Amino acid sequence: MHNEYDISVSDGVDPLIPEDEIISTCNFVLAQEKVVRPCMVSISVVSDEEIRTVNRTWRNADAVTDVISLEVERPNDEDLAPGEPCELGDILLAPAYIKRQAATYHTTPADEFRLMLVHAMLHLLGYDHLNDEEAECMEAREDALVAMIKTDNPIAFVTFTRHREGTDE
């Protein structure tokens, strides 16, 4: 399967992990979720102010957040022709916020970025955490996937995903 990624990094923003790792992590999630259709994902690594603007525009939340996932299509969409690529969606990550968040959860900034990337990919594939049952399912999948990727340190189990208490996506 050949996936396409449009990765952009805003001026002055440190993406915390290299572009090839962003791509390999996304490919890994798609493979583990048994997605066989080629997918296209736009990934933007942005400043706190840029993600705040998107959060305000798309989610009516005037706050900085770590990650936003905007789903476009699902790989199993019946309207897609066989072999037609799926425009999975857009991911925005705010590494400055993620770096601050890492201290709270005792992870490295790079590991927190990896976790948020996995989290965002799962959102694009239909996972959510709007209620306890959905959250438990998503958290378990995040735990399983993050345990299989290269991290700086083992990441503790994701308990009550970082986004259930606030306005984060």
Side-chain angles (χ1 to χ4, degrees), residues 54-71:
V54 172
N55 205 18
R56 182 175 46 242
T57 301
W58 287 94
R59 301 187 60 241
N60 204 29
D62 190 13
V64 178
T65 189
D66 48 10
V67 62
I68 296 175
S69 306
L70 302 170
E71 182 183 335

Side-chain angles (χ1 to χ4, degrees), residues 12-164:
V13 174
D14 175 9
L16 302 177
I17 65 173
E19 185 174 311
D20 63 332
E21 187 177 351
I22 292 172
I23 291 168
S24 65
T25 299
C26 292
N27 282 334
F28 174 76
V29 172
L30 292 170
Q32 290 298 307
E33 290 296 301
K34 301 187 180 5
V35 175
V36 294
R37 179 182 298 279
C39 292
M40 299 179 294
V41 181
S42 172
I43 300 167
S44 300
V45 183
V46 300
S47 69
D48 282 358
E49 190 52 44
E50 288 171 297
I51 206 162
R52 181 182 190 154
T53 299
V54 172
N55 205 18
R56 182 175 46 242
T57 301
W58 287 94
R59 301 187 60 241
N60 204 29
D62 190 13
V64 178
T65 189
D66 48 10
V67 62
I68 296 175
S69 306
L70 302 170
E71 182 183 335
V72 177
E73 295 176 319
R74 297 254 176 101
N76 59 354
D77 187 335
E78 294 177 6
D79 292 335
L80 294 172
E84 180 182 355
C86 166
E87 187 178 348
L88 202 55
D90 302 320
I91 296 171
L92 292 91
L93 296 132
Y97 185 97
I98 290 169
K99 188 174 183 178
R100 293 189 302 274
Q101 182 170 276
T104 301
Y105 292 100
H106 310 292
T107 60
T108 68
D111 283 349
E112 191 70 13
F113 189 95
R114 291 176 184 108
L115 174 60
M116 291 300 100
L117 184 56
V118 168
H119 182 89
M121 286 296 292
L122 290 176
H123 269 305
L124 295 184
L125 293 169
Y127 287 82
D128 217 329
H129 45 79
L130 296 175
N131 61 49
D132 286 344
E133 186 177 328
E134 287 179 346
E136 288 172 12
C137 178
M138 186 170 188
E139 291 160 5
R141 195 62 184 137
E142 285 176 1
D143 287 341
L145 293 171
V146 170
M148 291 187 269
I149 63 174
K150 176 188 120 335
T151 56
D152 299 330
N153 298 307
I155 296 178
F157 288 109
V158 180
T159 305
F160 295 109
T161 200
R162 286 143 167 79
H163 305 107
R164 290 184 60 209

